[in-house]
């Protein structure tokens, strides 16, 4: 079966099974980027987005899959308390469900398929509004050079001062971070947004003398924004804090986006904005900083009710 026929005739039934399995789940969340088609051997493979929702009975899930998938030629090849797999034995491809941590993850793929020539470019998915769920935000900053080998090297987070002489991690949180958050708020505005599952956090290397601490922010995604306007806003908010725009690269490759980064060259720290056709992502890091001893435990973030935005998918 061709990759196009799969999308037209089979995928809608798989998605109907997914929708019934997660019916009533209030916290369905995408765990990967959107579905994609890539070259595989002599043909094409569709790999779906992985989504996660509330835990379900394996027997109930298997019953639903059977109703939808058996008529399509799929057979159950794994059925236990942690893993359910149905496979199209004739054409290749499978539907896979992982059950863990009181939740359930759902994904599917086609394996190697030919194209029947019915679309100009087999890599372009045939539109289907129910295929992908909005709201995926990576916990980590996507590396521009992973997608575009010609991109300039992204700046390092650390500053030029000796580590022990840099602005303390406590001063960063008290005096610098509020200005960075004002920049974030102006970008997001009152529009819909999504956040990565991981909140802001502090990392440390206590074996060093003196110990070093790194702050990593929550990652936030909102709708598309104008590059020049974002640069103007960033300079207005960040220049007074010692940050300068040090990275401004628009990749010519589809989907990579326009990367902007402001850096505190002296103390370290990066504020990054990625602008794509469909969305804008915002995050920041402090770089390695010392503690000034003003709090009992530097690994505990200084309270800031405005630091992390509430998760709209929670």
């Amino acid at each position: 079966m061709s990759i196009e026929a799969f999308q037209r005739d089979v995928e809608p039934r798989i998605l109907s099974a997914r929708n019934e399995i997660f019916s009533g789940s209030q916290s369905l969340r995408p765990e990967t980027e959107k579905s994609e088609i890539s070259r595989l051997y002599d043909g094409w493979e569709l790999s779906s987005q992985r989504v996660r929702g509330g835990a379900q009975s394996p027997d109930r899930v298997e019953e639903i899959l059977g109703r939808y998938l058996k008529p399509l030629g799929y057979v159950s090849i794994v059925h236990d308390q942690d893993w359910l797999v149905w496979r199209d034995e004739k054409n290749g491809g499978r539907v896979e469900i992982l059950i863990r941590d009181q939740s359930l993850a759902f994904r599917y793929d086609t394996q190697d398929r030919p194209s029947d020539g019915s679309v100009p470019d087999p890599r372009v998915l045939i539109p289907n509004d129910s295929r992908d769920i909005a709201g995926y935000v990576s916990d980590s900053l996507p590396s521009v050079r992973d997608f575009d080998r010609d991109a300039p090297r992204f700046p390092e987070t650390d500053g030029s001062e000796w580590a022990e002489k840099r602005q303390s991690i406590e001063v960063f949180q008290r005096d610098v971070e509020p200005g960075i958050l004002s920049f974030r708020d102006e970008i997001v505005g009152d529009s819909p947004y999504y956040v990565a599952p991981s909140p802001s956090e502090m990392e440390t290397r206590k074996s060093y003398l003196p110990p070093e601490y790194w702050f990593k922010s929550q990652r936030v995604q909102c709708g598309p924004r104008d590059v020049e306007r974002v640069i103007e806003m960033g300079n207005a908010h960040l220049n007074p804090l010692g940050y300068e725009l040090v990275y401004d690269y628009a990749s010519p490759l589809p989907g990579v986006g326009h990367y902007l980064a402001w850096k505190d060259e002296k103390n370290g720290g990066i504020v990054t904005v990625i602008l794509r056709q469909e969305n804008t992502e915002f995050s920041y890091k402090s770089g390695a900083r010392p503690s000034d001893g003003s709090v009992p435990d530097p690994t505990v973030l200084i309270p800031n009710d405005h630091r992390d935005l509430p998760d709209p998918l929670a």
Side-chain angles (χ1 to χ4, degrees):
M1 178 186 289
S2 71
I3 194 70
E4 295 87 358
F6 171 83
Q7 294 172 78
R8 294 190 180 103
D9 303 332
V10 175
E11 190 180 20
R13 298 292 291 169
I14 295 175
L15 294 172
S16 294
R18 184 192 74 183
N19 292 342
E20 183 170 342
I21 289 169
F22 289 116
S23 62
S25 178
Q26 301 300 312
S27 58
L28 191 60
R29 175 184 289 277
E31 288 198 322
T32 61
E33 289 278 11
K34 295 179 179 180
S35 304
E36 63 177 1
I37 296 176
S38 56
R39 189 72 177 177
L40 181 66
Y41 306 117
D42 295 327
W44 307 93
E45 178 181 44
L46 187 152
S47 298
S48 80
Q49 182 187 56
R50 186 174 71 243
V51 301
R52 181 170 295 279
Q56 310 281 332
S57 160
D59 291 337
R60 174 182 177 272
V61 175
E62 193 82 331
E63 186 275 326
I64 294 172
L65 292 175
R67 278 194 282 112
Y68 285 95
L69 299 184
K70 278 185 179 178
L72 301 173
Y74 284 75
V75 296
S76 176
I77 60 174
V78 178
H79 179 195
D80 59 35
Q81 295 300 305
D82 302 313
W83 196 25
L84 306 176
V85 181
W86 283 70
R87 177 174 171 78
D88 182 339
E89 296 285 2
K90 178 180 178 181
N91 298 290
R94 63 183 186 172
V95 177
E96 177 182 78
I97 292 178
L98 294 174
I99 304 170
R100 58 176 169 83
D101 301 332
Q102 300 301 308
S103 62
L104 185 152
F106 186 106
R107 63 172 297 275
Y108 56 92
D109 62 47
T110 63
Q111 297 186 345
D112 193 23
R113 299 289 184 100
S115 169
D116 59 22
S118 59
V119 297
D121 186 348
R123 295 170 297 180
V124 178
L125 289 160
I126 295 173
N128 185 324
D129 291 339
S130 64
R131 176 184 287 123
D132 292 326
I133 296 172
Y136 173 74
V137 185
S138 171
D139 286 326
S140 300
L141 176 68
S143 170
V144 62
R145 297 191 75 181
D146 285 348
F147 306 109
D148 183 350
R149 295 295 183 183
D150 294 327
R153 186 174 296 278
F154 201 74
E156 298 290 335
T157 306
D158 285 342
S160 58
E161 285 273 32
W162 290 105
E164 63 271 15
K165 294 182 179 180
R166 293 172 191 156
Q167 183 184 64
S168 73
I169 196 67
E170 293 88 356
V171 169
F172 171 80
Q173 294 173 79
R174 292 190 181 107
D175 300 338
V176 177
E177 191 181 12
I180 297 175
L181 292 172
S182 295
F183 178 31
R184 178 202 69 188
D185 292 345
E186 189 168 358
I187 291 177
V188 175
D190 58 1
S191 66
Y193 68 87
Y194 298 103
V195 299
S198 293
S200 300
E201 60 183 352
M202 189 76 73
E203 299 177 2
T204 184
R205 191 157 49 191
K206 292 185 176 181
S207 60
Y208 275 48
L209 293 176
E212 295 178 344
Y213 302 89
W214 299 266
F215 176 93
K216 178 182 177 182
S217 81
Q218 178 193 55
R219 291 185 53 77
V220 178
Q221 181 187 100
C222 63
R225 298 291 184 263
D226 177 72
V227 173
E228 295 305 319
R229 177 62 182 143
V230 169
I231 292 175
E232 180 183 338
M233 290 188 294
N235 289 336
H237 286 282
L238 302 179
N239 289 169
L241 302 174
Y243 286 74
E244 299 291 339
L245 183 64
V246 296
Y247 196 89
D248 181 354
Y249 177 70
S251 174
L253 301 180
V256 179
H258 192 141
Y259 277 62
L260 302 173
W262 286 260
K263 181 175 181 178
D264 180 342
E265 292 284 11
K266 178 181 178 181
N267 298 292
I270 294 281
V271 178
T272 305
V273 181
I274 306 172
L275 299 106
R276 307 185 185 93
Q277 184 176 357
E278 67 276 11
N279 58 48
T280 303
E281 287 191 5
F282 181 96
S283 63
Y284 57 99
K285 297 180 179 180
S286 70
R289 303 283 184 109
S291 168
D292 59 22
S294 60
V295 298
D297 184 355
T299 63
V300 178
L301 294 173
I302 295 174
N304 184 329
D305 293 339
H306 196 52
R307 175 179 288 126
D308 288 347
L309 296 176
D311 186 349
L313 297 181

